[in-house]
Amino acid sequence: MNQYLFLRRMRGPIILLTFGITAILDEYAGIGYSRSWPLYLIVWGLLKLAENAILAQHPPTMPGQYPATVGYPASGATSTATSADISTPGSGTSIVPYDATSNEDEERR
């Protein structure tokens, strides 16, 4: 298991143990919660220092590029569409479908 992940997973239990120890000290030694907040900050700071030290020793690897998907040109590829392909009705992708049998719009003009 990765040391960084292990420390991240142990952060919650360590802080809970710190609160538990503070509760025991409150019962038996008289050190209350109101005077123990520096202890919580010290424990939290030590955990963050340990996480950063582990990340400095083992930096995370960057993910690779996404694989090319079928149907889309690779990055940097030129388009193969010509002006005739674009100007022909029904050949491109449009929101409104083209109906070649109805010429009502052309007759009205």
Side-chain angles (χ1 to χ4, degrees):
M1 180 186 295
N2 189 354
Q3 291 177 344
Y4 177 74
L5 289 177
F6 177 73
L7 192 58
R8 291 273 318 241
R9 291 176 182 169
M10 292 303 294
R11 186 181 351 173
I14 289 172
I15 291 179
L16 280 176
L17 281 172
T18 305
F19 277 110
I21 291 169
T22 307
I24 291 172
L25 289 175
D26 184 33
E27 283 291 319
Y28 296 112
I31 300 174
Y33 286 111
S34 63
R35 294 188 349 204
S36 61
W37 62 268
L39 176 66
Y40 304 139
L41 290 178
I42 290 169
V43 168
W44 181 75
L46 288 174
L47 288 172
K48 293 304 280 184
L49 279 174
E51 288 175 9
N52 289 337
I54 291 171
L55 279 178
Q57 290 176 356
H58 308 287
T61 58
M62 298 302 288
Q65 291 182 340
Y66 291 107
T69 56
V70 177
Y72 293 103
S75 63
T78 58
S79 175
T80 58
T82 62
S83 61
D85 292 337
I86 296 172
S87 64
T88 305
S91 66
T93 58
S94 65
I95 297 173
V96 180
Y98 176 74
D99 188 9
T101 59
S102 69
N103 292 327
E104 296 173 9
D105 291 335
E106 292 178 10
E107 292 174 4
R108 289 183 193 168
R109 294 183 191 174

